[in-house]
Amino acid sequence: MRAESVGGVLGAIVAAAVLAAAFYYVPVGPMARPMQPAKVEVPPTQVQTVPVAPAVRGPVVREVPN
């Protein structure tokens, strides 16, 4: 056998190994991505707010002495 034919055989073996690895690591077709469930939007619930009494304030100083 000449060196060219040996190189061709080895090249074919390497190409087959690369192709097999590609099919093993990268799935092809519809099985490539798993189905994701559809997102259902839930409307926000309305929360009844209770009126809050205003905070108690301290005394108001109207005149400031000099």
Side-chain angles (χ1 to χ4, degrees), residues 10-55:
L10 290 178
I13 292 172
V14 170
V18 169
L19 186 62
F23 277 104
Y24 180 75
Y25 288 112
V26 181
V28 178
M31 299 301 289
R33 295 188 194 125
M35 297 286 291
Q36 295 179 353
K39 293 182 181 180
V40 178
E41 292 187 22
V42 178
T45 58
Q46 295 180 355
V47 179
Q48 294 180 351
T49 58
V50 178
V52 179

Side-chain angles (χ1 to χ4, degrees), residues 50-64:
V50 178
V52 179
V56 179
R57 294 184 174 181
V60 178
V61 179
R62 296 187 186 272
E63 295 179 17
V64 179

